[in-house]
Amino acid sequence: MNWTNAKGAQITVRGQSLEYGCWGPAPHKAPTLVLLHEGLGSVAQWKDVPAQLAERTGFGVFAYSRAGYGGSDPVTLPRPLDFQTREAEDVLGAVLDAAGIEHCVLMGHSDGATIAAIYAGSVSDMRVRGLVLIAPHFFTEPAGLDAIRAAGEAFETGDLKQRLGKYHTNVEVAFKGWHDVWTDPAFAKWNVGDAIDHWRIPVLAIQGRDDPYGTLAQIQEIEERIYSPLDTLILDDCGHAPHLEKPQETLAEIAEFCLRLRRLEEDEVKIG
């Protein structure tokens, strides 16, 4: 794989072509921040966050669009209700392999945070040294489901389809693959909180107080179940995307977390 952020770069993972981008040093030169996007996200929708994080941390940054999103191959609909678990357990490790990742921090937003959380709790992978979880979901909440239904109306009758179409080759697949799972009546009982019980790496959890898709109950679930070190950043006057809505505070906290992990690992090597 070429370490490049050239538009249209593709890697093949499990027979699917996935778009990706890279910033900063390659994996053999520095740790890597691996970015996992939200339920309607893609590489492009991280905007300048990857470049800023590479500059602030000295880490490489690797972002990719999951199948069904951005310029990646489409998926067959409907998605299974456990699609996040399948993505974590069946795909993410293969993506890390294909990208040549050696030591990394998984940084996920929304559904991407959930996928990172499940991976860290179910797959033994010594490459993963920490988690940054932005607006993670571990269970459904009525207000969050209402917000997703409202997004469905905006997609069908408003301009949401047009706005998303700038980022996704298959916008119907991208939207319905997310919306139709979350609004399925059977999904109301979905809960992956038990992933937290198995984490053994440091975690930074970030949440906006005004997030329409999830409340601070998601962060409290972490606090009540976690056995490993936890830092939290709760942002006032902030919704679902702290890295875009409050970039200074959010990126500074992420950078400090990553640099602290690196210092701790370097100290351990010296002691050894």
Side-chain angles (χ1 to χ4, degrees):
M1 187 201 83
N2 292 325
W3 189 260
T4 175
N5 64 358
K7 187 174 182 179
Q10 300 276 323
I11 54 172
T12 300
V13 177
R14 295 186 174 274
Q16 291 182 308
S17 184
L18 306 179
E19 73 166 345
Y20 74 93
C22 306
W23 295 260
H28 67 282
K29 295 181 179 179
T32 308
L33 258 170
V34 177
L35 273 51
L36 307 175
H37 62 74
E38 63 173 313
L40 294 176
S42 66
V43 172
Q45 285 161 273
W46 287 107
K47 301 190 182 297
D48 66 346
V49 167
Q52 287 201 42
L53 287 173
E55 181 177 353
R56 287 170 179 249
T57 63
F59 282 38
V61 178
F62 172 81
Y64 72 101
S65 298
R66 297 190 294 277
Y69 297 99
S72 296
D73 280 350
V75 295
T76 301
L77 299 181
R79 285 185 182 270
L81 298 189
D82 64 346
F83 77 95
Q84 293 171 90
T85 296
R86 295 190 189 199
E87 185 74 28
E89 296 182 349
D90 299 339
V91 180
L92 179 52
V95 171
L96 300 182
D97 293 341
I101 302 301
E102 298 182 11
H103 307 291
C104 70
V105 173
L106 298 179
M107 175 178 143
H109 174 219
S110 192
D111 280 11
T114 302
I115 291 165
I118 294 170
Y119 188 81
S122 61
V123 178
S124 179
D125 189 342
M126 294 300 292
R127 293 175 293 186
V128 179
R129 306 304 178 89
L131 294 176
V132 176
L133 306 178
I134 303 173
H137 303 291
F138 298 99
F139 48 86
T140 61
E141 299 181 83
L145 295 178
D146 287 344
I148 293 170
R149 294 186 189 98
E153 294 178 10
F155 186 81
E156 295 298 335
T157 63
D159 67 347
L160 181 57
K161 182 187 292 188
Q162 180 181 359
R163 288 189 283 119
L164 290 174
K166 295 186 244 180
Y167 300 106
H168 303 285
T169 303
N170 299 279
V171 67
E172 293 274 348
V173 170
F175 185 82
K176 292 182 177 179
W178 167 76
H179 171 273
D180 292 0
V181 169
W182 277 90
T183 58
D184 188 305
F187 196 71
K189 296 181 180 179
W190 172 80
N191 190 309
V192 293
D194 58 351
I196 302 167
D197 302 338
H198 303 285
W199 295 344
R200 296 297 182 269
I201 52 178
V203 177
L204 169 61
I206 302 172
Q207 183 84 20
R209 288 191 188 276
D210 302 324
D211 188 341
Y213 294 102
T215 71
L216 292 180
Q218 305 291 337
I219 305 302
Q220 291 164 0
E221 185 80 358
I222 300 175
E223 293 171 335
E224 292 171 2
R225 303 183 74 147
I226 195 168
Y227 289 93
S228 53
L230 172 66
D231 293 312
T232 60
L233 175 64
I234 310 301
L235 293 160
D236 294 329
D237 302 315
C238 182
H240 190 55
H243 53 295
L244 301 178
E245 298 173 48
K246 297 279 187 175
Q248 290 304 318
E249 301 95 317
T250 302
L251 299 187
E253 193 76 16
I254 295 169
E256 172 55 30
F257 176 78
C258 291
L259 291 171
R260 188 166 68 247
L261 283 182
R262 192 172 192 178
R263 288 195 299 269
L264 288 171
E265 293 215 352
E266 289 173 352
D267 287 345
E268 288 175 3
V269 170
K270 291 176 184 177
I271 292 172

